[in-house]
Amino acid sequence: MLLDSREPGGPADEAWSRAKKDYRLVGTSNRRKFTIIVVGTGLAGAGSAATLADLGYNVISVTYHDAPRRAHSVAAQGGINAARAKKVDNDSVSRFVKDTVKGGDFRGREREAFRLAEVSAGVIDHLNAIGVPFAREYGGSLNTRSFGGVQVSRTYYTRGQTGQQLQVAAASDLARQVNAGRVKQYVRHEMVDLVVEDGRAQGVIVRNLLTGELKTLLGHAVVLATGGYGNIYYRSTLAKNSNASAAWRAHRRGAHMAMPSFIQFHPTALPISTEWQSKTILMSESLRNDGRIWVPKEPGDSRPANDIPEGERDYYLERKYPAFGNLTPRDVASRAAKDVIDAGHGVGPLKNSVYLDFRDAIARLGRDEIAARYGNLFHMYDDATGEDPYTVPMRIAPGAHFTMGGLWTDYQLMTSIPGLFAAGEAGFGYHGANRLGANSLLSACVDGWFTIPNTVPDYLAGHLGKPVISEDGPAVTEALESSYSRFDRLLAIDGQTPPRDYHRRLGEVLYEGCGVTRSAEGLIAAIAKIRQIRSEFYEDLLIAGPVDRVNQELEYAGRVEDYLQLAEMLCVDAYDRDESCGAHFRVEHQTSGGEAKRDDENWAKISAWESHGWPDEPVFTRHTEPLEYEAVPLEVRDYR
C-alpha cells in the first residue's frame, strides 16, 4: 500500500507556513474538554506536555523515571543546530536543508527538513528565554561551533553539557505546569500497551514500577515521545533503561514501523575494553572540531601513541575527505574507522579503536582554551579510562547510538493509528538514513514545542463533543487482560537464564549481522539466530521475584521480549532494502572507492512495516511512501 504523508503541496520552503495556516483550531473555552496523554519526559515529551498544558488542554504526563529531568535527553553533549546565520560564513535555511537532506543520503522528507530549519531559530530563542546557559562570545552573543557533515558554524552549545542544560530547562517548564494543576504526572510508571477503540488511540495501559499495579489512562489523543531503540544492540551509548517497548507495543496495535534498520553508529564512542562491559560511553562529536583522528600507518604497530612519529601516522579522514576532514558525517566516519580497524591498524589493548588526538590543538590554542571548550568531556574520559587526554590521545570506536528509524508518521507527526502521535526519536522523521550531529536535540525541540502543539489540536478539532471512552469498554478490558496475561506468561516460564543473557547474545548477533556494515548472507544468518534466541527465551527465561512489587528483572524481561521481536523486523528491513544509503551499508552495493551506492530508481522511498503472528510465525507487510526532492536534487554524496 502507498502511504500518504499528508504533506502540504506547493513550494517546499513554504510548506510549514501553509500547513499552520490550514490547521483547524480548538477554541480556548473548548480546550479544557480534551485530555492528551504524553508518554515520555525528554525534550520532545516535556515540551509537548508543557506547551499543550499552557494552551489550556488537560495533559497526563507519564515517565518510568523517578523524575522527568532524568529522561535520556540529558545525556546529549555536543550541541543543538540552528539556521540563525549569526556568523558571516554563508549559512542559511537553504544550506541547512541541503546539509540535512544530503547528510541523510536522500532518504528523508525534504519538507520536514525545511520545517526543522525554519523553526530552528525560534527553538534557540525559546531555550535562551527559559534559562539555558548557552556559551557566549566575548561581546555577549551566543557562540557556535561546527559538527559533522557541515562546513559552517551553526551548533549552539553549553560546553559538553548541552542535553543536560536543555533537559533541566524543559523539566522546569513541565514542573511549572504540574504545579499549576494543568498536568497530572505519573512517575515510575511504564507504558505496557496502547488502547485502540473505533480505530483511534484513546489511552494507554501503564504499570506502576513500585507496586506492579496496572492502570488505565484514557484521553482523546496519545503522544509517544519515548526515544529510540539503540539499546537493542545491548552495548550502546544509551542509558540502560532506554528501551523500545512503548513504540513496539504501539506497533503491535497497528502502528507502522518505518525503516527500523536505519541505525546510527557514533564514531566517537569509547571502545569496548572487556566482554563483560554492559554499554559504551559517548564522547561528543564536538571533539572532532579540534581533535585529529589517526591510526599508525603500519598494521599491528603497538608503540605508545606519542612514540609514533608524525610521518608514520595516517590521518585517514583528512586523507580521504579533505573538504570535511575530521568532520565528515557520522556514517562515513564510522565506516572509515571500521575499515582501518579491520585492516589491522586498530590501537589499544584490544586493537579495536582509533586515536582522537588533541596534541596539535593544544599547541595551537593552549591547554586552558581546550579545557574551556571540552574540560568536562576530558574529565569524563579520564574517569572512564584512567588516561589523561591532555597528554595522550583518546581512543574511540563506533558504537550503536541513534535510531533514524521509528514509528511511521505523516507530516503532522500522526502514526498510522489516528490519534496516536510520535515525537522526537520515537518517530522516524527528519533524518533519513543518517542523522547529522546536533540535529537530534533540535528535532526533539521542534516536535515538542512547535509541531505537536499545532498538529494535535488540528486532530482534536474533529472530535469536539466526544467523551473519553469508558474504562469498562471492551478495548480497555482487552488491553488490561492482555497486559496481565503477558506478565503472568513470562513469570510462568520459570527457567534458568536471566533476561540480560538473552539481550547480550542478541546484541552480539546484531553487531555482527546488522551493524556498521551488512550483507544479504549475514542478515539471513542473523534472522535465524534471532529466532533461535527468541525460542530459547520462551523456554528458559528466569525472572526472580513476584509481579506485585518492585521487580526490575520483570521490567527487563518485557523489554527484552520486545527487542527479540523488533530485532527480526530490523534485519528483515535491512535485507529487503537492496541498496546502500547512509548508515545502511550493504557490502554488495558500494562504489569502487568503498562509498555507499544508492539505488534511487527502486529505493527512493520510505519502507513502513506492519507485522502479525508474533511470537512464533511473524508475517511482515511492507508499505511504501515515495520520496521526492525539488529544492535539493538527488546527487551522489561527496565529502571529498
Side-chain angles (χ1 to χ4, degrees):
M1 182 175 78
L2 289 179
L3 297 173
D4 182 6
S5 65
R6 296 202 298 148
E7 296 176 272
D13 60 347
E14 299 174 1
W16 180 235
S17 298
R18 261 193 329 279
K20 288 192 295 181
K21 184 179 67 174
D22 293 338
Y23 285 151
R24 295 170 293 179
L25 302 176
V26 176
T28 53
S29 61
N30 285 326
R31 294 173 189 171
R32 59 179 174 269
K33 300 175 183 177
F34 288 108
T35 297
I36 304 163
I37 301 166
V38 181
V39 185
T41 56
L43 289 176
S48 297
T51 307
L52 289 167
D54 201 38
L55 289 172
Y57 296 96
N58 297 310
V59 177
I60 298 173
S61 170
V62 181
T63 178
Y64 59 70
H65 294 292
D66 55 3
R69 64 177 290 174
R70 292 179 63 87
H72 193 60
S73 297
V74 78
Q77 299 164 342
I80 175 171
N81 284 336
R84 294 173 89 230
K86 294 301 182 182
K87 285 187 179 292
V88 187
D89 61 357
N90 202 22
D91 197 11
S92 63
V93 167
S94 60
R95 191 171 296 277
F96 183 107
V97 172
K98 181 177 181 179
D99 288 341
T100 299
V101 172
K102 178 183 173 183
D105 213 358
F106 297 90
R107 291 298 178 261
R109 293 181 186 140
E110 185 180 70
R111 279 169 167 74
E112 288 193 336
F114 269 105
R115 177 167 66 198
L116 201 64
E118 180 181 338
V119 177
S120 64
V123 167
I124 300 301
D125 292 339
H126 174 74
L127 293 171
N128 191 39
I130 63 174
V132 174
F134 285 115
R136 295 180 180 272
E137 296 178 342
Y138 181 77
S141 59
L142 300 185
N143 203 356
T144 57
R145 55 191 176 198
S146 297
F147 261 57
V150 304
Q151 293 176 303
V152 296
S153 181
R154 68 163 69 107
T155 304
Y156 296 78
Y157 64 98
T158 62
R159 297 186 72 182
Q161 307 174 345
T162 311
Q164 177 180 340
Q165 297 300 331
L166 266 59
Q167 180 62 29
V168 167
S172 297
D173 201 21
L174 177 58
R176 179 171 62 89
Q177 298 298 335
V178 173
N179 188 59
R182 292 188 283 265
V183 174
K184 185 172 184 179
Q185 191 156 77
Y186 290 87
V187 298
R188 292 175 174 161
H189 281 71
E190 181 170 34
M191 175 183 156
V192 295
D193 209 348
L194 179 73
V195 177
V196 180
E197 186 170 287
D198 296 330
R200 297 184 289 118
Q202 307 209 46
V204 296
I205 306 297
V206 297
R207 181 173 181 269
N208 186 321
L209 299 182
L210 299 181
T211 67
E213 176 191 7
L214 295 183
K215 185 176 181 62
T216 305
L217 303 176
L218 301 175
H220 297 88
V222 177
V223 178
L224 294 188
T226 51
Y229 48 88
N231 260 348
I232 196 171
Y233 285 79
Y234 186 69
R235 293 188 180 109
S236 82
T237 63
L238 278 66
K240 292 303 292 182
N241 261 351
S242 298
N243 63 83
S245 288
W248 188 249
R249 291 291 110 193
H251 171 75
R252 291 288 303 271
R253 289 291 178 182
H256 299 339
M257 185 69 72
M259 302 187 292
S261 65
F262 283 6
I263 310 290
Q264 182 171 88
F265 291 81
H266 202 295
T268 53
L270 298 192
I272 298 299
S273 58
T274 169
E275 65 174 306
W276 303 112
Q277 190 169 325
S278 65
K279 73 181 304 294
T280 58
I281 297 174
L282 179 65
M283 289 286 106
S284 169
E285 183 173 301
S286 62
L287 294 171
R288 294 200 277 152
N289 272 271
D290 292 304
R292 300 181 71 192
I293 297 172
W294 63 276
V295 292
K297 287 184 177 179
E298 188 68 27
D301 192 333
S302 59
R303 288 176 293 174
N306 291 334
D307 290 349
I308 300 176
E310 181 71 12
E312 297 179 30
R313 301 180 177 193
D314 179 15
Y315 297 92
Y316 59 90
L317 289 178
E318 298 174 29
R319 170 174 56 82
K320 294 180 67 175
Y321 310 102
F324 284 74
N326 296 296
L327 285 173
T328 55
R330 291 176 178 177
D331 62 317
V332 175
S334 290
R335 278 197 301 277
K338 185 179 187 299
D339 287 345
V340 295
I341 292 170
D342 289 348
H345 298 271
V347 301
L350 300 182
K351 303 296 183 184
N352 62 348
S353 53
V354 300
Y355 288 127
L356 178 61
D357 195 343
F358 286 83
R359 181 196 64 180
D360 294 348
I362 292 173
R364 184 179 74 253
L365 301 169
R367 177 173 172 141
D368 289 346
E369 178 61 25
I370 295 300
R373 296 181 182 186
Y374 312 113
N376 62 310
L377 296 172
F378 277 39
H379 179 71
M380 183 167 66
Y381 182 86
D382 195 348
D383 275 352
T385 66
E387 300 173 1
D388 178 9
Y390 291 103
T391 58
V392 297
M394 291 183 178
R395 289 180 294 108
I396 58 172
H401 178 56
F402 187 90
T403 54
M404 286 77 68
L407 292 173
W408 180 87
T409 57
D410 61 19
Y411 186 77
Q412 283 60 241
L413 302 186
M414 189 156 69
T415 70
S416 53
I417 300 177
L420 176 65
F421 296 78
E425 197 179 348
F428 85 104
Y430 301 113
H431 308 301
N434 173 64
R435 174 176 67 81
L436 292 186
N439 268 359
S440 174
L441 292 179
L442 176 62
S443 58
C445 291
V446 167
D447 284 356
W449 272 299
F450 292 89
T451 307
I452 286 293
N454 281 284
T455 60
V456 170
D458 174 63
Y459 167 78
L460 294 176
H463 296 86
L464 185 63
K466 295 181 180 178
V468 171
I469 62 173
S470 169
E471 290 194 7
D472 299 327
V476 176
T477 301
E478 188 276 330
L480 269 174
E481 290 178 350
S482 175
S483 298
Y484 275 119
S485 64
R486 180 188 180 211
F487 290 120
D488 290 342
R489 173 171 46 83
L490 292 176
L491 285 164
I493 295 173
D494 196 26
Q496 301 296 316
T497 307
R500 186 175 305 277
D501 287 18
Y502 295 106
H503 191 188
R504 185 190 301 274
R505 289 172 57 195
L506 175 64
E508 292 170 354
V509 169
L510 290 176
Y511 262 106
E512 178 184 3
C514 198
V516 176
T517 60
R518 298 98 186 262
S519 69
E521 182 181 6
L523 289 164
I524 291 172
I527 291 170
K529 292 175 183 176
I530 291 166
R531 290 177 175 173
Q532 179 61 34
I533 296 171
R534 193 166 67 235
S535 175
E536 294 175 21
F537 175 88
Y538 289 121
E539 292 173 357
D540 198 41
L541 173 67
L542 168 65
I543 301 176
V547 71
D548 58 351
R549 68 182 189 196
V550 175
N551 190 337
Q552 293 183 316
E553 284 292 279
L554 181 59
E555 296 169 33
Y556 195 10
R559 295 167 186 175
V560 172
E561 181 184 31
D562 293 333
Y563 285 144
L564 288 168
Q565 295 176 12
L566 172 57
E568 183 169 344
M569 175 180 284
L570 190 155
C571 291
V572 166
D573 179 56
Y575 178 83
D576 180 69
R577 182 167 286 271
D578 195 19
E579 67 160 353
S580 289
C581 57
H584 170 62
F585 189 84
R586 286 278 296 269
V587 297
E588 304 95 331
H589 303 289
Q590 55 183 303
T591 66
S592 58
E595 304 297 336
K597 188 175 181 180
R598 296 195 321 263
D599 179 358
D600 293 330
E601 182 177 352
N602 295 303
W603 288 102
K605 58 189 177 185
I606 294 164
S607 298
W609 295 92
E610 185 180 355
S611 67
H612 303 281
W614 297 102
D616 299 320
E617 296 293 334
V619 177
F620 302 99
T621 303
R622 170 165 53 82
H623 307 285
T624 59
E625 176 198 327
L627 291 168
E628 298 179 354
Y629 301 93
E630 64 179 60
V632 188
L634 287 163
E635 64 179 5
V636 176
R637 286 201 307 173
D638 186 358
Y639 292 97
R640 292 174 294 178

